[in-house]
Amino acid sequence: MAFSHISFKKMNGLGNDFAVLDARANDFQLTADEASAIANRETGVGCDQVIVLEPSSRADVFMRILNADGSEVGACGNASRCVGALVAAELGRERVTIETAAGVLDARISGDGLVTVDMGVPRFGWRDIPLAKEEPDTRAISLAITLPDGRVLEGPSVANVGNPHAIFWVADVDAYDLATFGGALEYDPIFPERANISLAEVIDDQTVKLRVWERGAGITQACGTAACATAVSAARTGRTGRSVEIRLPGGVIGIEWRADDDHILMTGPVAHEFEGTLTLSGGSLTVARES
Ligand SMILES: N[C@H](CCC[C@H](N)C(=O)O)C(=O)O
């Protein structure tokens, strides 16, 4: 649907970047192609996900999440922190609620500029991930990939943290070029709704190194929901405790998988890059950066 001028804020969470569009004042619906055009790093704003803010009757804001390929998804951890910070500043509050397709999240701004989002409770049932068939143990499922050099990766953990994740535990994440096989795993038939693919390496019982190929976006500098899914997998498989630091290329995300209610608390920074307006008419997009 064509719309005239729409304001956006370019933000990121540890380099995982977003164009945050505000549809609360003037309603519009983005098509997948329009979202993809906005995400295009050559001709659009350039971002991993396009976030659309809409009014909510259940929370302070509704956050719609569209990947760079135009697919609409239920959760985005890094964007939840960015939207939390944005709405908290608008309302002059330290705590705000964000409605998403996967549920209502609670975001809290802490004094040192960090934002903590309660990402809810992970789900592990094969139908919850979802998987195409039952798996006896979702801590390690029967998926394997043989790389061009003959090495085999197999037995990933899977979890749904508002979106589907598969985590392969390896001795050295830097020994693999995830960009060359992440897409094949994202589209493996075991994942009927595709999946976000991670390589994780235990540094110690409180620290994990993580590289992510995101569903619908490819390699990103950071992925908040992958950090959540990886922390949960690490605890479930006895690799770490329930509070870990996840080290991503873009920086560190702190995760606490709270013991008394299984909620996942994710803490990290947010960054404002610039603002601007978009104009989309007859399929052509123009971006005017204003700050
Ligand atoms: N690519 C994800 C959505 C964005 C998640 C990521 N940017 C995050 O911070 O959680 C998916 O298709 O499920």
Side-chain angles (χ1 to χ4, degrees):
M1 181 190 124
F3 52 80
S4 56
H5 290 288
I6 177 147
S7 65
F8 72 87
K9 292 182 180 353
K10 183 67 180 4
M11 299 181 77
N12 74 75
L14 298 174
N16 178 206
D17 62 351
F18 316 104
V20 183
L21 282 56
D22 196 339
R24 290 172 293 178
N26 54 336
D27 181 23
F28 64 85
Q29 286 291 325
L30 276 190
T31 65
D33 287 346
E34 288 166 345
S36 206
I38 292 166
N40 186 302
R41 294 194 186 275
E42 272 73 48
T43 57
V45 175
C47 56
D48 296 323
Q49 279 86 30
V50 178
I51 303 297
V52 184
L53 304 184
E54 298 177 353
S56 165
S57 58
R58 296 170 59 201
D60 292 312
V61 70
F62 185 96
M63 174 172 88
R64 197 168 293 287
I65 304 155
L66 297 111
N67 281 315
D69 71 354
S71 57
E72 183 160 355
V73 293
C76 181
N78 288 318
S80 303
R81 293 201 312 278
C82 290
V83 169
L86 212 54
V87 174
E90 282 175 358
L91 300 175
R93 295 206 325 243
E94 305 262 301
R95 296 182 80 121
V96 296
T97 53
I98 304 169
E99 182 181 2
T100 69
V104 177
L105 308 175
D106 182 284
R108 180 167 42 84
I109 317 303
S110 44
D112 44 7
L114 296 178
V115 181
T116 295
V117 179
D118 179 340
M119 295 296 290
V121 175
R123 293 179 296 151
F124 306 114
W126 69 278
R127 290 188 179 87
D128 296 325
I129 303 302
L131 300 178
K133 63 183 172 61
E134 183 162 9
E135 283 282 342
D137 186 350
T138 53
R139 288 172 299 178
I141 67 168
S142 58
L143 170 63
I145 185 167
T146 303
L147 305 181
D149 61 12
R151 286 180 299 174
V152 176
L153 283 175
E154 58 189 341
S157 271
V158 290
N160 187 297
V161 289
N163 54 1
H165 286 268
I167 300 102
F168 290 86
W169 289 97
V170 297
D172 176 2
V173 296
D174 295 326
Y176 299 87
D177 183 359
L178 182 55
T180 62
F181 58 90
L185 287 166
E186 171 189 355
Y187 279 87
D188 190 282
I190 189 82
F191 303 120
E193 291 177 13
R194 301 187 281 158
N196 297 282
I197 306 298
S198 289
L199 294 182
E201 173 188 340
V202 176
I203 302 300
D204 61 39
D205 67 354
Q206 295 173 1
T207 316
V208 172
K209 194 171 175 182
L210 186 62
R211 298 291 181 271
V212 189
W213 169 280
E214 284 200 32
R215 175 180 65 171
I219 295 288
T220 60
Q221 286 298 298
C223 178
T225 48
C228 294
T230 299
V232 163
S233 165
R236 285 182 87 204
T237 57
R239 289 180 167 92
T240 67
R242 296 178 70 109
S243 286
V244 287
E245 263 197 7
I246 305 289
R247 291 183 183 164
L248 293 133
V252 176
I253 291 179
I255 304 287
E256 181 199 348
W257 186 19
R258 200 161 53 197
D260 58 4
D261 62 2
D262 269 350
H263 278 237
I264 305 169
L265 304 182
M266 173 198 63
T267 300
V270 301
H272 293 264
E273 296 179 30
F274 58 87
E275 300 186 2
T277 55
L278 297 170
T279 308
L280 197 72
S281 56
S284 72
L285 171 70
T286 52
V287 179
R289 180 170 167 166
E290 282 153 8
S291 69

